[in-house]
């Protein structure tokens, strides 16, 4: 069973940047479709970004497009989320997720493997 561990969350002022990392224990990491999701208090878990096995194709929620960048380093079994121009509404717990699906998957039910999340707080 693959294990995912997120890191890099913290407190930042609006307009600032953070880089989240997700380390995977699975040696076949490069064959997992990876995604980032976030959940704010009282809200459902929402899609943020996703990336294919090779990293050639990426997908973003409209709310983060142009500000966030998802990437992966298969040699290091690590997924990244670079977050720039952060806004208070970006405040949430961010989760890393993995799927063995071949086709793109962009909803929580499509991902069987999840990390425990890392808190991102953006102050006004």
């Amino acid at each position: 069973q693959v294990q995912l561990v997120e890191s890099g969350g913290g407190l930042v002022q609006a307009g600032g940047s953070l880089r989240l990392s997700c380390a995977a224990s699975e040696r076949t990491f490069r064959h997992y479709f990876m995604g980032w999701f976030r959940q704010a208090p009282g809200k459902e878990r929402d899609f943020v970004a996703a990336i294919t096995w090779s990293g050639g194709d990426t997908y973003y929620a409209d709310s983060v497009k142009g500000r966030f960048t998802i990437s992966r380093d298969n040699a290091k079994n690590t997924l990244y989320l670079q977050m720039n121009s952060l806004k208070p509404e970006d405040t949430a717990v961010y989760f890393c997720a993995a799927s063995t699906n071949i086709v793109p998957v962009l909803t929580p039910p499509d991902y069987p493997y999840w990390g425990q999340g890392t808190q991102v707080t953006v102050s006004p």
Side-chain angles (χ1 to χ4, degrees), residues 8-112:
L11 175 65
V12 65
Q13 290 186 321
S17 299
L18 284 174
R19 189 191 193 193
L20 305 184
S21 297
C22 173
S25 63
E26 176 60 49
R27 63 190 177 110
T28 58
F29 170 80
R30 67 177 180 175
H31 295 305
Y32 282 80
F33 190 93
M34 303 295 296
W36 286 100
F37 294 79
R38 66 187 182 185
Q39 186 168 22
K43 302 293 181 64
E44 64 182 16
R45 189 167 298 186
D46 294 325
F47 167 76
V48 175
I51 189 168
T52 55
W53 292 6
S54 66
D57 294 314
T58 57
Y59 308 85
Y60 297 95
D62 289 340
S63 59
V64 306
K65 187 176 181 180
R67 298 188 298 120
F68 291 10
T69 302
I70 187 171
S71 62
R72 65 191 298 165
D73 187 337
N74 290 338
K76 297 181 178 180
N77 290 355
T78 303
L79 176 74
Y80 303 98
L81 183 67
Q82 178 66 47
M83 305 184 294
N84 298 325
S85 301
L86 284 163
K87 305 174 181 179
E89 50 263 44
D90 293 320
T91 295
V93 175
Y94 283 70
F95 297 89
C96 171
S99 174
T100 55
N101 281 37
I102 298 175
V103 299
V105 286
L106 307 178
T107 61
D110 297 320
Y111 290 82

